[in-house]
Amino acid sequence: MKKNVASTLRPSAKRVVLASAASAVLGRVATVVLTFAVASCGFHLRGAASYPFQSVYVQAPTTFGVGTLTVAGSGAPVVPDVIAGLSRNGIALKSKIEDADFSVRFLQVFFDKRVLSLSGGGRAREFELEYRVRYEFVDAKGRLWGEPGEITIRRDFSFAESQALAKEAEERQLVRDMQLDAAAQILRRLQSVKRPT
């Protein structure tokens, strides 16, 4: 005759088995609760956004400021990031504003890097990065689809010559994160635009 495994365990082993079973059940309950909470708060996975329009014309800025330099606006990284986000969600990108519901018009895209502090030897030790984007949503009739917007993102980082390569890579990653953050904010704002009446 087979014995019940639980009955052959010592009391301390039984507690371990019961605690393990309770932990597994609580983990499943927490997963279900978290799933419902995330769904109810309106969170969407990347690429699953919903927009109240079908087509858009994206107008890059005429210039892109980098500190005291000015370069062609098509080089502003936030522009292709916004285009990619809209394309991923099935929004038709038009080559003329007349063919689109409205235009995402980038008025200014600007990047700057400022020295915050110097070392004892007079070398830059700490920097502030700033990424600023001004934009508006306007249709072919000149009507605004909401208020114009401005995004300013700042990040500080320290620099050490002994870790020059690692710090340069860190700076590039910070700048890229700022660009993606700006694009994500614009894409979120586009989800709530309203057609002018």
Side-chain angles (χ1 to χ4, degrees):
M1 181 176 171
K2 290 183 180 177
K3 290 186 177 180
N4 186 336
V5 175
S7 66
T8 62
L9 295 174
R10 290 182 300 201
S12 60
K14 286 181 183 177
R15 283 195 296 273
V16 170
V17 169
L18 290 174
S20 176
S23 177
V25 170
L26 285 175
R28 288 190 190 107
V29 170
T31 302
V32 170
V33 169
L34 183 60
T35 302
F36 281 113
V38 166
S40 65
C41 77
F43 176 81
H44 295 285
L45 291 174
R46 183 178 174 183
S50 174
Y51 294 97
F53 53 89
Q54 282 77 46
S55 64
V56 72
Y57 168 67
V58 178
Q59 183 178 341
T62 53
T63 59
F64 169 42
V66 183
T68 56
L69 300 175
T70 301
V71 296
S74 57
V78 71
V79 178
D81 290 332
V82 169
I83 289 172
L86 292 169
S87 296
R88 257 195 322 269
N89 288 283
I91 301 300
L93 297 163
K94 302 295 184 179
S95 57
K96 295 189 296 186
I97 190 172
E98 293 80 14
D99 299 334
D101 290 332
F102 68 97
S103 167
V104 177
R105 182 182 291 165
F106 289 93
L107 305 172
Q108 180 192 47
V109 178
F110 178 81
F111 173 76
D112 197 15
K113 176 180 175 180
R114 290 185 287 275
V115 175
L116 290 181
S117 65
L118 301 172
S119 67
R123 295 180 182 271
R125 185 175 61 190
E126 193 176 12
F127 294 93
E128 179 186 65
L129 306 175
E130 179 180 298
Y131 196 69
R132 186 169 63 246
V133 182
R134 288 178 49 240
Y135 62 92
E136 64 183 7
F137 308 140
V138 62
D139 62 21
K141 296 179 180 177
R143 299 176 302 176
L144 287 173
W145 286 49
E147 292 297 314
E150 180 170 331
I151 297 167
T152 302
I153 301 168
R154 293 186 181 93
R155 299 284 186 273
D156 295 347
F157 84 102
S158 59
F159 185 81
E161 286 191 7
S162 60
Q163 302 171 336
L165 289 176
K167 288 296 182 178
E168 286 168 7
E170 179 188 349
E171 180 183 353
R172 284 193 300 273
Q173 187 59 54
L174 277 172
V175 171
R176 186 65 188 130
D177 289 346
M178 293 163 76
Q179 294 162 353
L180 291 171
D181 187 0
Q185 290 186 49
I186 293 169
L187 290 167
R188 281 195 298 273
R189 175 104 188 269
L190 281 166
Q191 292 179 54
S192 60
V193 294
K194 289 185 172 56
R195 187 180 297 273
T197 54

